[in-house]
Amino acid sequence: MADIALPGLDPASDRPVFKQIADHLREAMDRNVLPPGSKVPSESQLMTHYGVARMTVRNALQLLQSEGLTVAEHGKGVFVRSRPQVRRLASDRFARRHREQGKAAFIAETEESGGKPSVDSIRISEEEASTDVAKRLGLTSGQSVIVRSRRYLINDHPVETAVSYIPAHIAQGTQITQPNSGPGGIYARLEELGYRLDHFDEEIRSRMPLRDEVKALKLAPGIPVFHLIRTAYADDGQAVEVCDTVMSSDAYVLAYQLPAR
């Protein structure tokens, strides 16, 4: 315990001892006494400091891990989890000025915040639209969509997966079907095709991740995800894309400006 100073237990508190220990360690993380990537005091050190049994210490450490604050490395110890750089999910992220500068929304916003954006795991296929996607796009049963699946990273850390569905009659034979959709992304290509974008509808909810999402986003235990479904509309009211996105919740701040009229 030579590296950090932790308070003692409060015998008058009705809060369980293991939660008091977790509170002390969490506060040390909040104050950056235990910064991201640093090693948490060992079980033996915590046992000696608090005068408690090993199981009490383990319960405290397990609580912090379940909250996504720490990671255990076999044979090395417990470390404060390094979090990805936060990206603000702002209301103007799909503004036309970004596309006119040749940058898709993710690239523009990440660079603006000082991060290094990248995209991998790009997969493209043509499939029959699901019932939900067909309804959102105004398609009839059996119509096809071009499916673009990819993963977004900030500073080489995965933060988001996204799957776009574009009506096949719009996207077939265009750069939208290529791994590199070109400057400004697929929204720039849609506007070049004459589908000038007018607005986007989004639905966002929070939930715990599925197993493949944990793997794709390298999520620590206890980290929920934002599940966002966006529909893009052209100025004639036609829906031209549905995007199903899963985002690591600790990599994003949802920031919106809403008119009061």
Side-chain angles (χ1 to χ4, degrees):
M1 300 292 295
D3 295 331
I4 67 168
L6 293 173
L9 297 171
D10 180 1
S13 174
D14 59 359
R15 190 162 175 77
V17 170
F18 81 95
K19 290 188 177 181
Q20 289 189 50
I21 297 173
D23 291 343
H24 296 165
L25 293 170
R26 193 185 299 106
E27 183 180 355
M29 296 175 201
D30 290 341
R31 292 188 291 110
N32 215 38
V33 174
L34 282 172
S38 65
K39 188 175 182 179
V40 174
S42 69
E43 290 182 3
S44 297
Q45 288 175 314
L46 293 170
M47 290 166 58
T48 299
H49 176 73
Y50 289 108
V52 297
R54 187 176 299 275
M55 187 54 66
T56 301
V57 169
R58 286 185 175 177
N59 286 340
L61 295 176
Q62 182 60 45
L63 177 59
L64 295 173
Q65 186 172 347
S66 72
E67 294 173 352
L69 297 176
T70 61
V71 290
E73 296 186 15
H74 184 68
K76 295 182 179 180
V78 177
F79 295 82
V80 180
R81 181 170 177 257
S82 296
R83 301 188 180 189
Q85 180 174 336
V86 171
R87 172 177 174 248
R88 296 180 66 83
L89 197 63
S91 55
D92 70 341
R93 65 191 186 280
F94 296 116
R96 184 165 287 105
R97 69 178 184 275
H98 298 312
R99 297 191 292 280
E100 290 174 347
Q101 294 169 358
K103 294 181 178 180
F106 180 83
I107 292 174
E109 284 200 339
T110 304
E111 289 182 346
E112 209 169 274
S113 65
K116 183 186 75 172
S118 57
V119 185
D120 68 8
S121 304
I122 299 173
R123 296 185 299 275
I124 302 167
S125 60
E126 182 172 341
E127 303 173 11
E128 183 177 318
S130 68
T131 301
D132 180 66
V133 168
K135 181 179 179 181
R136 292 175 186 271
L137 289 174
L139 301 177
T140 58
S141 177
Q143 283 192 277
S144 296
V145 288
I146 299 299
V147 182
R148 289 185 59 92
S149 175
R150 64 272 192 201
R151 183 175 69 165
Y152 293 105
L153 303 90
I154 298 177
N155 299 333
D156 299 321
H157 186 98
V159 296
E160 174 183 337
T161 63
V163 183
S164 287
Y165 303 90
I166 306 100
H169 69 270
I170 292 177
Q172 281 175 335
T174 74
Q175 199 167 352
I176 293 173
T177 63
Q178 301 302 312
N180 182 355
S181 59
I186 61 175
Y187 290 158
R189 303 291 80 72
L190 285 169
E191 294 203 312
E192 288 172 356
L193 291 168
Y195 300 94
R196 184 177 174 83
L197 297 177
D198 178 75
H199 69 279
F200 304 87
D201 286 351
E202 291 189 341
E203 303 170 8
I204 305 174
R205 64 189 179 99
S206 178
R207 60 169 172 78
M208 296 308 295
L210 304 176
R211 183 178 299 180
D212 60 339
E213 294 166 348
V214 171
K215 182 178 180 181
L217 296 175
K218 298 183 179 179
L219 296 172
I223 299 297
V225 293
F226 292 127
H227 185 189
L228 182 152
I229 298 180
R230 177 177 64 254
T231 305
Y233 291 89
D235 55 9
D236 64 356
Q238 180 180 358
V240 293
E241 183 237 16
V242 168
C243 188
D244 191 326
T245 302
V246 176
M247 301 174 289
S248 175
S249 64
D250 66 347
Y252 287 88
V253 172
L254 305 183
Y256 297 93
Q257 292 182 346
L258 303 174
R261 62 179 185 276

